[in-house]
Amino acid sequence: MGAKCPDIVVWLLWSAVVWSFVFPASFADNNEDDEGAVLDSDSVWPRRVVDGDRKDYTGHALLRITPQDQYHLRLLAALVEKSDVSGVAFWKEPTIVNENVDVLVPPDVKDYLTALMLTNGLRINIVTDDLQSLVDEERRTRSVEESDRSDRTSKSFNLSAYHTYDEIMSYLDYLNNTCNSSCSTQVIGKSYEGRDLKLIKIGRLNDESIPGFWIDAGIHAREWISPAAALFLVSKLLDPTDPIGKFLLNRYRFYILPLANPDGYEYTWTHDRLWRKNRSRHPDPRVKCHGVDPNRNWDFHWGERGTSSKPCAENYGGWQPFSEMETRAMANYILSISDSLAVYLSLHSYGQYLLTPWGYTTKLPADFNDLMAMGNLAAEAIRKTHGMQYAVGSTARVLYLASGGSDDWAKGVAGVKYSYTIELRDDGKNGFFLPASMINDTGEELLNAVTALGAGVKRQETRGRRRRNNYREETQDKKKT
């Protein structure tokens, strides 16, 4: 019997066979010129959306694939690497064995990919074989909701519905005009297309002794539940009859940015419901693909593992760190208040995770136990609300490697000790199409998580001050003796 071929060699050979069989166009068409600029080509980027068109997902299948061993994980990882040319989009990436992977597959490769997965023993569940049907159903539901509401700038603003950028801005303006001295709005910057990045500050605004609590939402455009949940939280904080709101505002000043990616968010309403990035253009005019992933663009371990240098990729990190107007504006504002910030929280979906740094490496922060203690408090508060289970851990270990993320930057550069990302509902049943009927429950879970996190951090700070004071007293006593 001859010597066994090393596993990595088998994998590399198989990968070559896979890509030449499944996506022959990616070998026949070169999408890079001699200088490496990625060029636009329908043959290598079938999911490209031409401006003015509405993206049609007719025939696109959403597959839920379950890897059962390390070989399956490597095979799926190879798919991830080629996603920018194949049109395959990973909604949930491969991380660990027996953890579901959600993959959106265009019709021209659906049969090939399904056959490949089944041939290699992967379990596949077809969530839908026509994603457009989900888009259409959501659109019909929104039409009914819009006919039921007329005044979107007053108290009748429906927190149980999804809203456009303009509606959200109008609501924030209404709050600014009616909340007296308990809140104020501020435009902290502009998006690439000129939309406002509008922040709302809530609490005792003139009391500089109160620590800050930052929350941003909607940095990924298609994750509609995150801005909706953020607005639910805003409403509770400003409700004078809500005891939880009062409790929180006695302890923190809140800085909430409900839409961190307004251009991308608006684009999901008008062109492509599943758009993820912002809508900026690359400085090289030969690059035709729009957008940068704002959560891979922060200047902390930028461009490392878990991000792409290819402009057509969904996790493209930009041509340089902080290349994007939106991330620069956020970072500059956070740095201006960083001395007072106790907590940084970024809202995403989906998956039901409560994630700590680091995302760029599987190594853990020195204070990881502190982060986990507070994270577990928040997850338990969520569980007690409506029974939802959230996994807690570092991004790279629980979810996937992701460098250039906002929470890593908040901790590593801005120095905010308790920095987290929350992946809100659900666990994959509805994915990015979470029904509006679940907004209130998700908002209640977020409110309770923020309350538990805020109370826990406050207790930790109080204990820390006591320990420091006790140490000073002991030191002084020793000097006297």
Side-chain angles (χ1 to χ4, degrees), residues 315-328:
N315 63 342
Y316 172 52
W319 56 278
Q320 68 178 25
F322 286 141
S323 60
E324 305 310 294
M325 297 173 63
E326 298 90 344
T327 55
R328 289 199 305 272

Side-chain angles (χ1 to χ4, degrees), residues 362-420:
T362 55
K363 295 180 180 178
L364 301 174
D367 58 353
F368 180 68
N369 288 340
D370 293 344
L371 293 170
M372 283 295 292
M374 297 301 103
N376 284 326
L377 285 177
E380 178 62 10
I382 291 173
R383 187 193 65 78
K384 288 181 176 179
T385 308
H386 296 294
M388 294 294 106
Q389 299 285 346
Y390 274 58
V392 185
S394 76
T395 298
R397 292 193 177 192
V398 172
L399 198 55
Y400 45 64
L401 284 161
S403 60
S406 65
D407 55 349
D408 277 11
W409 178 90
K411 186 169 182 61
V413 176
V416 184
K417 175 181 173 68
Y418 293 101
S419 295
Y420 298 91

Side-chain angles (χ1 to χ4, degrees), residues 47 66 106 121 129 134 140 144 187 207 218 247 281 350 355 365 394 411 423:
R47 294 186 68 247
T66 307
D129 58 4
L134 299 182
R140 282 192 294 271
V144 172
V187 176
D207 189 346
F247 171 85
R281 298 303 300 265
Y350 59 94
L355 304 170
S394 76
K411 186 169 182 61
E423 297 280 353

Side-chain angles (χ1 to χ4, degrees), residues 183-196:
C183 81
S184 69
T185 59
Q186 180 179 349
V187 176
I188 64 171
K190 295 285 188 177
S191 69
Y192 179 83
E193 294 179 344
R195 293 182 176 87
D196 289 344

Side-chain angles (χ1 to χ4, degrees), residues 175-419:
L175 294 176
N176 183 56
N177 293 330
T178 57
C179 68
N180 299 319
S181 61
S182 60
C183 81
S184 69
T185 59
Q186 180 179 349
V187 176
I188 64 171
K190 295 285 188 177
S191 69
Y192 179 83
E193 294 179 344
R195 293 182 176 87
D196 289 344
L197 294 172
K198 189 170 290 184
L199 178 90
I200 184 165
K201 295 179 283 186
I202 306 174
R204 300 206 298 267
L205 304 184
N206 297 321
D207 189 346
E208 298 298 328
S209 66
I210 296 181
F213 199 124
W214 171 279
I215 300 174
D216 61 63
I219 200 168
H220 285 151
R222 62 193 177 192
E223 300 168 5
W224 285 9
I225 186 58
S226 62
L231 292 174
F232 182 94
L233 178 65
V234 167
S235 72
K236 291 298 182 182
L237 291 174
L238 289 174
D239 183 352
T241 67
D242 191 289
I244 297 179
K246 288 182 179 180
F247 171 85
L248 287 170
L249 294 184
N250 281 332
R251 288 159 176 79
Y252 292 98
R253 178 190 298 113
F254 282 83
Y255 303 86
I256 301 178
L257 183 65
L259 273 182
N261 177 10
D263 295 347
Y265 182 77
E266 184 66 10
Y267 196 74
T268 63
W269 283 78
T270 59
H271 290 79
D272 183 354
R273 173 63 181 86
L274 293 172
W275 188 259
R276 168 184 167 101
K277 301 186 285 184
N278 69 0
R279 292 295 298 165
S280 67
R281 298 303 300 265
H282 196 282
D284 186 339
R286 296 170 299 173
V287 177
K288 303 302 182 184
C289 294
H290 284 257
V292 167
D293 182 343
N295 204 38
R296 300 292 187 276
N297 190 237
W298 296 69
D299 193 8
F300 183 73
H301 291 273
W302 174 84
E304 297 180 12
R305 298 172 68 186
T307 188
S308 177
S309 60
K310 301 173 183 178
C312 290
E314 287 197 323
N315 63 342
Y316 172 52
W319 56 278
Q320 68 178 25
F322 286 141
S323 60
E324 305 310 294
M325 297 173 63
E326 298 90 344
T327 55
R328 289 199 305 272
M330 291 172 65
N332 288 337
Y333 191 87
I334 291 170
L335 286 175
S336 74
I337 59 171
S338 60
D339 287 346
S340 68
L341 280 184
V343 180
Y344 171 90
L345 189 60
S346 187
L347 305 182
H348 291 250
S349 75
Y350 59 94
Q352 297 179 191
Y353 299 101
L354 206 156
L355 304 170
T356 79
W358 305 116
Y360 79 92
T361 178
T362 55
K363 295 180 180 178
L364 301 174
D367 58 353
F368 180 68
N369 288 340
D370 293 344
L371 293 170
M372 283 295 292
M374 297 301 103
N376 284 326
L377 285 177
E380 178 62 10
I382 291 173
R383 187 193 65 78
K384 288 181 176 179
T385 308
H386 296 294
M388 294 294 106
Q389 299 285 346
Y390 274 58
V392 185
S394 76
T395 298
R397 292 193 177 192
V398 172
L399 198 55
Y400 45 64
L401 284 161
S403 60
S406 65
D407 55 349
D408 277 11
W409 178 90
K411 186 169 182 61
V413 176
V416 184
K417 175 181 173 68
Y418 293 101
S419 295

Side-chain angles (χ1 to χ4, degrees), residues 11-159:
W11 175 62
L12 290 171
L13 290 172
W14 176 243
S15 295
V17 172
V18 168
W19 294 113
S20 62
F21 172 68
V22 179
F23 306 117
S26 65
F27 289 87
D29 297 303
N30 182 12
N31 67 323
E32 297 183 7
D33 69 359
D34 292 338
E35 296 179 8
V38 178
L39 306 181
D40 183 44
S41 169
D42 285 337
S43 62
V44 297
W45 184 238
R47 294 186 68 247
R48 181 174 64 90
V49 180
V50 180
D51 282 347
D53 294 342
R54 187 183 287 274
K55 175 66 178 179
D56 190 336
Y57 286 96
T58 299
H60 286 66
L62 181 60
L63 307 180
R64 184 154 295 147
I65 303 172
T66 307
Q68 296 164 263
D69 54 36
Q70 292 299 317
Y71 174 76
H72 289 164
L73 286 175
R74 291 196 298 271
L75 182 60
L76 291 169
L79 278 168
V80 173
E81 287 299 313
K82 289 291 184 178
S83 61
D84 64 311
V85 294
S86 68
V88 173
F90 280 78
W91 290 7
K92 288 184 70 176
E93 294 189 12
T95 52
I96 58 176
V97 171
N98 292 322
E99 183 79 13
N100 289 335
V101 177
D102 291 348
V103 188
L104 181 62
V105 183
D108 54 342
V109 299
K110 180 167 56 178
D111 291 341
Y112 290 113
L113 183 62
T114 302
L116 173 67
M117 297 295 105
L118 293 175
T119 300
N120 284 274
L122 284 100
R123 292 198 299 265
I124 295 181
N125 174 35
I126 301 177
V127 179
T128 178
D129 58 4
D130 183 22
L131 191 72
Q132 188 61 36
S133 63
L134 299 182
V135 177
D136 292 341
E137 177 60 29
E138 183 182 62
R139 193 174 296 146
R140 282 192 294 271
T141 302
R142 289 205 310 269
S143 296
V144 172
E145 291 167 349
E146 288 169 1
S147 66
D148 288 341
R149 65 185 195 265
S150 56
D151 184 0
R152 299 169 190 142
T153 63
S154 68
K155 282 186 177 181
S156 65
F157 183 88
N158 187 358
L159 292 165

